[in-house]
Amino acid sequence: MAVQVRDVLTVLDRITNGRCIKTAHDYVSGKNPYALTRSSHIPGKAVTEMPGLVYGDLNMEIKKIAVMMTLTESAIELAAATGVNILVVHHPVADAANSGGTLIKTYFGAYKMALFELHEAFHGLHNGVPFLHGHRPFFTSTSFGGVPGNVVYVGEALPEVKTAGDLLRRLDKLMNVQADEQMLLAERKIRQSGDIQETRVAARGKILAGRPENPVRQIIHMFPHAGFTAEHLLRLVKDYPDADTLLATSSRVYPGHALINKAGQVGLNFLCGNSHAMEIYENGLPLAKALQKHLPEAEVVIFHERMTSVPLEQFGAGEMQAYGNYIAETFLTGQND
């Protein structure tokens, strides 16, 4: 029998140990802790995570599955053009916001595709992120300090990670940063602009406090964007006095942040590891491998996002620069009736 969308839901539910929503009742009952609403209290901008099938026909046959981090219209177009009819997205999906300003049901309906999301239902299933960052955790919290999603690890450095420099070199090798640097150099040459920047190169691992030769034995590993604070750090230092290194991954902090000052005060190395742009390796690749193992009849690919910054006057061919200037000067002056 051909593999169907319902089979993907069954597999994702198995992978996440039963965390997916299977029926409408699962959602409205409020009993699934992974179907949670996130809000900065900006009016109208809250979004609810719904682990499982977001849109699609359970009986539709599978052609090709793509695993990715964050849904965009570029991903939808790539899927349709390359025969993908199921997108499995890690981050929560918001109607229109993640689908080019149009409705998900309209876009995915027209292209006959199905859409899944996981996010928090996938988090906490494995210790791959600590492993990539050179330590083996002996303490894990997914809501440290009572903050949902505030993931914290405390772990012992792996034998091959003896210094802060070792940790960063390990990351560069595993993430193949050299290839990203080469691609950036090639793009700068092709587009004749030395000012182009790319996320994975610009936001690579770095040391904020300490030196490359400083010993690393016990690591406090946190994610600043999840709500980790200087107060949380002090509590962990008290509970784990042998910790010598603070590690920030996914997001990071910049000069002037309270965590940098606090880490220095308590004598910790402070490193930034992988940025959020690397999560496709950390969580996307294992998920794609699991899907392929559970559904060997289906083809699985990974959508790898790449973001660059280009100076305004160097963007596009000369004719497009002329187009941009004409439209801006003719229609976008704010003086049209």
Side-chain angles (χ1 to χ4, degrees), residues 184 187 193 195-199 307-312 315:
L184 178 57
E187 183 173 1
S193 171
D195 296 321
I196 296 174
Q197 302 292 337
E198 192 274 330
T199 313
M307 181 70 68
T308 57
S309 167
V310 182
L312 175 60
F315 185 75

Side-chain angles (χ1 to χ4, degrees), residues 126-141 151-163 166-168 170-171 174 216-223 244-249 271 273 282:
H126 65 88
N127 282 331
V129 177
F131 169 77
L132 293 174
H133 286 85
H135 71 95
R136 183 177 294 107
F138 56 82
F139 168 79
T140 301
S141 173
V151 178
V152 170
Y153 301 105
V154 182
E156 299 290 347
L158 297 178
E160 60 268 33
V161 176
K162 293 179 170 50
T163 67
D166 289 342
L167 195 156
L168 294 185
R170 173 186 175 85
L171 272 183
L174 287 168
V216 172
R217 300 184 184 89
Q218 193 175 105
I219 297 171
I220 297 172
H221 185 169
M222 55 81 185
F223 305 78
D244 53 31
T245 300
L246 178 63
L247 174 67
T249 68
L271 280 67
E282 298 170 337

